[in-house]
Amino acid sequence: MERTALWRPASGVAAPKSVETVDDSLTADQAYRLAVQGRAMLWTGDYHNARQLLSALARRLLDGTTGRKKHDGGGVAEEFYRHRQARSQRARILGLLLVPLEAGPAVALRRAPDVAAAWLAASGPVEAAAVAPLQDVLGAIGAQEWRRKGLRVEALDAVIHPHYGTFAPIRSEYLDLVAQAELPSTELAFDIGTGTGVLAAILARRGVRRVVATDSEPRAIACAEENLALLGLSAVVEPVLGDMFPAGRAPLAVCNPPWLPGTAHTLLDNAVYDPKSRMLRAFLNGLAAHLEPGGEGWLIISDLAEHLGLRTREQLLGWIAGGGLEVLGRLDTPAQHPRSMDRADPFFEARSREVTSLWKLGVK
């Protein structure tokens, strides 16, 4: 019997072309064969059994790191590309295990947990029969826990609460640079691509009297507004929905763009991968028109792309010069995150040499 339901992923992935109904009798081997053929499976059995099946599928898939040798020289860019492709394929296959949703919103399976708050935050209300990847449901639950607990930011001496799809400020290096760099002015600052609002909050806590924080994602603006309200900074920082710069000029404009050129495959990838360095180049090309005379643009970015062979220092310097800018100074800090110290990581040699920099840029 043919049935229909709305496709309601939280991650924005496209609907599968073929779906068949399965239950607790489906084995992991059978599920794997269906998934590699591109056939989605709508689960009708027990919720916890579905989770176990997803874990079993994950164990059967190469995760893009297991079994790969370390790289410290030529071909690293090519290998990194293959690494990302393998991870993308893994995510696509795991996304073919689907669960039914009903108004509430709720997962319409035996022993399913209460997902109402998590799903509303991730994807909004469900008003009719729908289906979604189990991966998305688990991601929404995890994100809701992150949002509830929050993440302590030492540079703020406070807690930031990331929303679903908004990158959590888990690396302290770039936050510390913004907290330590000498301010050219405390009158006004622009924070371009604000995300959780963490950099805008640091600037405000440092005494900047007004900060305009932009982001092109509505969920990021909602996240920033909530965090700034909790920090008591709503009167100082104004989150604005929009791409790149707000109207006008400021003595300081700050941007922490995604650090690696590449295609974003997930919502969180948008904070890490910048297709064709679009945001980086837009910041550098538009900065001169939005700085007051004598003002500074702060570009906070890692050089990991250079070590992976994805971008050269000469390219970056060329883009800076092409925007009519000059380098006024630079603050550097070595990588401190766990992957930079993990010798089992296939890209350890690149990650261990990573440096995060705050480039101070001025108009020529």
Side-chain angles (χ1 to χ4, degrees), residues 214-287:
T214 67
D215 205 290
S216 60
E217 289 289 335
R219 68 176 71 235
I221 293 298
C223 180
E225 287 175 340
E226 179 180 290
N227 282 312
L228 294 164
L230 290 171
L231 294 168
L233 297 173
S234 296
V236 179
V237 183
E238 178 189 3
V240 174
L241 180 64
D243 192 25
M244 300 306 294
F245 295 92
R249 296 174 182 263
L252 175 62
V254 176
C255 183
N256 173 38
W259 292 351
L260 297 177
T263 302
H265 297 302
T266 68
L267 283 173
L268 291 181
D269 272 359
N270 290 323
V272 180
Y273 296 98
D274 186 8
K276 299 182 179 179
S277 299
R278 186 197 73 84
M279 184 175 180
L280 169 59
R281 299 181 72 173
F283 177 71
L284 296 175
N285 288 333
L287 181 59

Side-chain angles (χ1 to χ4, degrees), residues 122-147:
S123 186
V126 174
E127 297 171 350
V131 295
L134 176 58
Q135 273 198 134
D136 285 15
V137 173
L138 297 176
I141 293 170
Q144 186 68 6
E145 190 63 12
W146 267 89
R147 179 173 176 176

Side-chain angles (χ1 to χ4, degrees), residues 43-67:
W43 189 261
T44 60
D46 179 82
Y47 174 83
H48 293 283
N49 288 345
R51 288 196 59 175
Q52 290 177 357
L53 179 64
L54 190 67
S55 296
L57 278 175
R59 289 192 294 271
R60 283 163 169 75
L61 293 167
L62 180 65
D63 68 359
T65 58
T66 304

Side-chain angles (χ1 to χ4, degrees), residues 15-363:
K17 295 179 179 178
S18 172
V19 182
E20 57 186 81
T21 301
V22 297
D23 58 24
D24 298 308
S25 64
L26 184 73
T27 69
D29 286 337
Q30 290 170 332
Y32 179 77
R33 285 195 293 271
L34 289 171
V36 295
Q37 294 169 12
R39 296 160 69 184
M41 297 154 279
L42 177 60
W43 189 261
T44 60
D46 179 82
Y47 174 83
H48 293 283
N49 288 345
R51 288 196 59 175
Q52 290 177 357
L53 179 64
L54 190 67
S55 296
L57 278 175
R59 289 192 294 271
R60 283 163 169 75
L61 293 167
L62 180 65
D63 68 359
T65 58
T66 304
R68 293 185 182 272
K69 63 181 181 178
K70 297 178 186 177
H71 289 267
D72 57 3
V76 65
E78 219 174 288
E79 180 62 20
F80 187 73
Y81 173 77
R82 288 196 294 268
H83 164 89
R84 290 211 65 224
Q85 288 297 104
R87 292 186 66 85
S88 175
Q89 174 74 351
R90 178 180 187 272
R92 186 191 67 78
I93 288 177
L94 293 179
L96 292 174
L97 183 59
L98 315 179
V99 293
L101 302 177
E102 61 187 10
V107 176
L109 295 175
R110 296 189 306 275
R111 295 201 298 163
D114 182 356
V115 302
W119 195 258
L120 283 169
S123 186
V126 174
E127 297 171 350
V131 295
L134 176 58
Q135 273 198 134
D136 285 15
V137 173
L138 297 176
I141 293 170
Q144 186 68 6
E145 190 63 12
W146 267 89
R147 179 173 176 176
R148 185 184 67 81
K149 289 184 176 179
L151 177 70
R152 183 158 192 83
V153 174
E154 294 302 324
L156 271 176
D157 191 24
V159 173
I160 288 289
H161 299 267
H163 290 195
Y164 179 89
T166 303
F167 194 73
I170 54 177
R171 290 182 55 166
S172 63
E173 300 100 313
Y174 75 102
L175 305 176
D176 292 340
L177 288 172
V178 173
Q180 296 163 9
E182 183 179 352
L183 292 166
S185 168
T186 56
E187 188 65 31
L188 170 66
F190 294 159
D191 175 24
I192 311 302
T194 194
T196 61
V198 64
L199 294 185
I202 289 173
L203 293 171
R205 282 281 178 86
R206 293 194 62 193
V208 178
R209 289 188 285 275
R210 181 169 177 252
V211 182
V212 180
T214 67
D215 205 290
S216 60
E217 289 289 335
R219 68 176 71 235
I221 293 298
C223 180
E225 287 175 340
E226 179 180 290
N227 282 312
L228 294 164
L230 290 171
L231 294 168
L233 297 173
S234 296
V236 179
V237 183
E238 178 189 3
V240 174
L241 180 64
D243 192 25
M244 300 306 294
F245 295 92
R249 296 174 182 263
L252 175 62
V254 176
C255 183
N256 173 38
W259 292 351
L260 297 177
T263 302
H265 297 302
T266 68
L267 283 173
L268 291 181
D269 272 359
N270 290 323
V272 180
Y273 296 98
D274 186 8
K276 299 182 179 179
S277 299
R278 186 197 73 84
M279 184 175 180
L280 169 59
R281 299 181 72 173
F283 177 71
L284 296 175
N285 288 333
L287 181 59
H290 290 89
L291 279 184
E292 290 183 355
E296 292 181 5
W298 290 1
L299 171 66
I300 304 100
I301 196 165
S302 154
D303 67 354
L304 180 60
E306 298 172 23
H307 298 302
L308 291 173
L310 306 177
R311 181 175 60 234
T312 66
R313 178 59 55 95
E314 289 70 27
Q315 277 182 308
L316 177 60
L317 293 174
W319 294 339
I320 290 172
L325 307 168
E326 61 180 346
V327 179
L328 305 176
R330 197 179 77 219
L331 302 178
D332 296 332
T333 186
Q336 300 167 20
H337 57 92
R339 295 182 76 180
S340 69
M341 298 172 242
D342 180 7
R343 292 183 175 275
D345 189 290
F347 301 99
F348 169 73
E349 294 298 330
R351 296 189 193 281
S352 65
R353 299 197 303 271
E354 180 184 3
V355 171
T356 301
S357 300
L358 185 153
W359 295 75
K360 289 192 171 191
L361 307 174
V363 180

